[in-house]
Amino acid sequence: MTFEQLDLIEPILNALTREGYKVPTPIQETAIPIVLNHKDLLGCAQTGTGKTAAFAIPILQNLHKKYPNQKQHRTVKVLIVTPTRELAIQIDESFNSYGRNLPFRHTVIFGGVNQNPQINALKAGVDILIATPGRLLDLQQQGFVHLQHLDVFVLDEADRMLDMGFIHDVKRLIRLIPEKRQSLFFSATMPDTIRTLAASILRSPEEVHVTPVSSTAETIEQAVYLVDAGNKRDLLLHLLEDKDIATALVFTRTKHGADKVQRYLSKGGIKAEAIHGNKSQNARQRALSNFKDRTTRVLVATDIAARGIDIDELNLVVNYELPNIPETYVHRIGRTGRAGLDGKAISFCDTEEKPYLKDIQKLIRIQIPVISDHPYPATAAVPEIRKNPSRPARSSAGRVVRKK
Ligand code: AMP
């Protein structure tokens, strides 16, 4: 299926092309028509499945149809509530991307920061508001958020919301929004408490289930190497001595980092190229096709640059630096082991990255096997990482194990 077949309007199709999206993900295929039809939706899906676009795209299209001339007073027409600041920012960025050719204004509000810039944005008028529950209620009580003209309400990551103790906030919020509205409800899991909450929000919803991303993680062989930051590049060179690795995608957190790793590998005699936002579109395309036809063995990339890259038969993903957003880990390792092929994901973890590792393991509900016997073991002690008790680390990357 293509995005055109979903009857999307030109401005959105163009924005998706610019994002490099070629085909809709399964949840997008199913959910976009439902939302375009103004139906309520109960989506069982995790971050990483493309669920943000699954709701953002049809919401934008419906707004465009209902408000073809964005001249009238801007009121909050769409409210998206999500549990964490990181998710809120990501959703805001998605609206920015998919709505780049449309005139709607969106803003994001979350706690833990000065409220004044957020108040100013609200005062300037927004059509789409993305918020975490606490700050939203706070600003609503202070009179800066008006929800009486709401058309669409999205509750994202409902199970995480409950885990984080936001249930009362959510219930309070429901009382503040118009009864006549379209509601979309997303949760990675559907225990009874979530179903009850969903039933209190949705009207005759359509249900969509997609395989959670963590199950992707279960099919990929994963390993973590504890290593000092300064030794990562030598550890990478050492691993790439294995001639069985025909292709490797190496992720760094920064553009600068990607260039540095690429230069080091090239000096070490390994054909490597880097792609990131500072490279021209042409340079990125060239690097990508060199990698695809195996002229280049190693592609070093940042997350943004690697979005939408689809590489068949990728042997290995290396997290040279661990991402601070755990979902990003799942996106990264999902590049390997596709279509039933064997895939391997290796992560380098230095002392400062240990909290990231913890978050990742919590999300994927897997204890990633730790490889200790390598030439560059970390010098610092490793207190809080629990090795899998039933499966001690082996010299090669172990098959992933589900946490009981
Ligand atoms: P989400 O589950 O919304 O967090 O999306 C996961 C990632 O997939 C994000 O980085 C999106 O930019 C990307 N993505 C979403 N839809 C598509 C698509 N149809 N094609 C390629 N990438 C996509």
Side-chain angles (χ1 to χ4, degrees):
M1 181 178 274
T2 62
F3 283 112
E4 282 82 1
Q5 287 167 316
L6 290 170
D7 282 334
L8 299 182
I9 52 173
E10 242 0 83
I12 293 180
L13 287 174
N14 290 340
L16 297 178
T17 306
R18 187 169 163 163
E19 284 303 293
Y21 296 3
K22 297 207 169 56
V23 289
T25 66
I27 191 166
Q28 290 163 6
E29 272 186 23
T30 331
I32 289 176
I34 296 170
V35 183
L36 282 177
N37 249 331
H38 304 280
K39 300 270 303 175
D40 280 9
L41 177 75
L42 177 62
C44 187
Q46 243 172 13
T47 298
T49 52
K51 81 173 149 73
T52 314
F55 65 77
I57 291 170
I59 283 177
L60 283 162
Q61 177 146 330
N62 284 347
L63 275 186
H64 178 73
K65 290 252 157 79
K66 187 164 177 191
Y67 306 96
N69 299 310
Q70 187 45 270
K71 286 274 184 287
Q72 85 285 348
H73 181 60
R74 289 187 193 266
T75 54
V76 178
K77 303 167 181 73
V78 179
L79 172 66
I80 295 135
V81 180
T82 192
T84 68
R85 163 198 175 127
E86 285 74 23
L87 283 165
I89 293 171
Q90 275 184 50
I91 295 170
D92 188 58
E93 286 170 354
S94 298
F95 273 96
N96 210 24
S97 308
Y98 313 141
R100 66 170 67 250
N101 302 321
L102 294 170
F104 302 106
R105 263 199 228 149
H106 52 94
T107 198
V108 57
I109 59 176
F110 45 79
V113 294
N114 186 323
Q115 65 174 26
N116 292 335
Q118 299 177 356
I119 292 171
N120 290 339
L122 289 165
K123 280 185 179 161
V126 292
D127 305 293
I128 302 160
L129 180 60
I130 300 120
T132 54
R135 178 57 61 95
L136 173 66
L137 286 169
D138 195 358
L139 292 182
Q140 189 274 338
Q141 268 168 4
Q142 294 180 55
F144 297 114
V145 177
H146 305 282
L147 298 170
Q148 62 270 34
H149 300 293
L150 203 68
D151 290 324
V152 187
F153 172 60
V154 183
L155 188 69
D156 188 36
E157 306 253 336
D159 50 356
R160 216 154 138 193
M161 197 89 86
L162 261 54
D163 282 349
M164 291 172 70
F166 288 135
I167 180 76
H168 296 295
D169 284 350
V170 172
K171 286 185 172 162
R172 264 175 68 199
L173 190 62
I174 303 302
R175 290 196 289 271
L176 296 173
I177 57 178
E179 277 196 22
K180 193 170 170 300
R181 59 169 196 260
Q182 182 182 23
S183 303
L184 316 176
F185 184 107
F186 291 91
S187 188
T189 55
M190 283 289 163
D192 287 347
T193 43
I194 296 290
R195 285 214 171 259
T196 311
L197 179 67
S200 73
I201 294 174
L202 303 168
R203 281 206 192 99
S204 319
E206 301 257 355
E207 246 185 85
V208 174
H209 287 255
V210 295
T211 327
V213 278
S214 58
S215 69
T216 322
E218 283 160 36
T219 63
I220 296 166
E221 208 174 299
Q222 298 170 74
V224 61
Y225 284 68
L226 302 170
V227 55
D228 294 338
N231 284 335
K232 284 185 174 183
R233 52 193 206 172
D234 288 320
L235 178 58
L236 182 60
L237 267 183
H238 166 74
L239 291 174
L240 290 169
E241 281 168 13
D242 179 354
K243 294 288 175 269
D244 285 345
I245 301 170
T247 50
L249 179 59
V250 177
F251 282 99
T252 60
R253 230 171 315 156
T254 64
K255 302 168 195 170
H256 182 59
D259 281 335
K260 266 177 40 185
V261 173
Q262 180 270 325
R263 281 198 297 270
Y264 199 73
L265 290 178
S266 297
K267 257 204 225 152
I270 289 175
K271 270 203 88 82
E273 286 190 79
I275 54 166
H276 52 65
N278 284 359
K279 302 248 175 186
S280 71
Q281 189 63 26
N282 277 348
R284 280 155 70 168
Q285 279 319 117
R286 208 168 39 239
L288 207 56
S289 58
N290 286 344
F291 187 57
K292 283 184 176 170
D293 68 22
R294 304 204 171 183
T295 316
T296 303
R297 185 169 167 226
V298 180
L299 190 66
V300 191
T302 57
D303 291 295
I304 303 288
R307 265 190 196 178
I309 296 182
D310 197 4
I311 305 146
D312 292 337
E313 296 181 39
L314 178 63
N315 290 157
L316 175 69
V317 164
V318 179
N319 292 304
Y320 190 85
E321 281 142 347
L322 280 177
N324 54 351
I325 298 173
E327 284 82 4
T328 304
Y329 174 84
V330 181
H331 299 163
R332 288 181 180 183
I333 72 165
R335 305 304 168 119
T336 181
R338 288 195 171 180
L341 294 166
D342 277 346
K344 207 166 171 180
I346 285 175
S347 300
F348 294 173
C349 177
D350 64 35
T351 320
E352 290 188 0
E353 293 171 311
K354 280 180 207 151
Y356 302 156
L357 181 61
K358 257 178 126 176
D359 287 349
I360 289 164
Q361 298 194 134
K362 205 168 145 210
L363 172 77
I364 63 175
R365 299 191 184 96
I366 285 170
Q367 293 292 312
I368 306 171
V370 176
I371 307 296
S372 339
D373 58 340
H374 61 83
Y376 305 97
T379 47
V382 191
E384 72 270 61
I385 291 170
R386 233 169 23 98
K387 290 181 189 170
N388 190 325
S390 62
R391 198 131 189 185
R394 300 181 305 185
S395 55
S396 64
R399 180 59 65 177
V400 294
V401 186
R402 234 181 184 299
K403 197 170 124 191
K404 296 275 180 298

